[in-house]
Amino acid sequence: MNFIIEPWHWLVLGVLLILFELILPSFAALWFGVAAILVAILFWLFPSLSLTTQIIFWIILSISCTLYWFKFIKPLSIDKTKAGLARESTIGQVGMVIQTDLTHDHVKVRFPMPILGADEWNCRTLSPVAVGDRVRVVDISGNDLVIQPHQSTQKPL
């Protein structure tokens, strides 16, 4: 008795591999499952594909999907905030003053990347600053960031 591979075999294999991903924490089986489903679609569109060709397509698609995940998708999910990090990682961050009319030498500063969970902070200043000035965090005092004007390292032309 000869066993003949049908497109639904690849589809079931793909769904099982994707479901198997529920117990694995690595996302590896997910991409093998996606590749199996893609092979099922290819085999359904081109029923004359040999078993060897199907397996080669599955291997190539599995590798391609996995590489695509690590190169393009996974970097998007990396948390770029500084929340939960030590004080030393906050000191030295550079931001821009967006408001100066606050009380007790406070100004509002926007940072390009969230610091301690927020991208805008009310900060204490060590010297006068104006809206649009670049400032650098030099200390943390209670719930406030202490800032001073940032000197650019570029030399004038």
Side-chain angles (χ1 to χ4, degrees), residues 7-154:
W8 67 267
H9 290 115
W10 283 106
L11 186 65
V12 169
L13 175 66
V15 170
L16 287 175
L17 284 169
I18 290 172
L19 290 175
F20 188 62
E21 185 60 44
L22 292 172
I23 7 178
L24 294 177
S26 66
F27 281 114
L30 176 68
W31 305 117
F32 292 122
V34 168
I37 290 173
L38 292 174
V39 170
I41 293 169
L42 280 172
F43 190 30
W44 179 70
L45 292 172
F46 305 103
S48 62
L49 290 175
S50 69
L51 180 60
T52 306
T53 307
Q54 293 171 41
I55 292 173
I56 289 172
F57 272 130
W58 180 63
I59 292 170
I60 290 170
L61 288 170
S62 295
I63 292 170
S64 299
C65 288
T66 305
L67 290 176
Y68 182 79
W69 160 255
F70 282 109
K71 180 128 175 108
F72 299 109
I73 307 299
K74 189 174 181 184
L76 297 176
S77 67
I78 294 173
D79 185 17
K80 295 179 180 162
T81 67
K82 301 289 184 185
L85 295 180
R87 158 193 173 110
E88 290 78 22
S89 68
T90 303
I91 294 176
Q93 295 293 320
V94 176
M96 182 181 295
V97 177
I98 59 172
Q99 187 178 0
T100 58
D101 304 351
L102 304 176
T103 59
H104 306 295
D105 291 332
H106 277 75
V107 296
K108 186 172 277 196
V109 177
R110 178 176 291 143
F111 294 94
M113 183 170 18
I115 294 177
L116 301 172
D119 59 351
E120 289 184 5
W121 280 82
N122 290 337
C123 301
R124 291 185 191 175
T125 62
L126 295 178
S127 56
V129 292
V131 173
D133 287 352
R134 291 177 53 115
V135 293
R136 184 173 57 86
V137 177
V138 293
D139 197 8
I140 300 174
S141 177
N143 290 333
D144 293 332
L145 300 178
V146 180
I147 58 164
Q148 70 181 14
H150 177 66
Q151 284 78 26
S152 177
T153 57
Q154 296 177 347

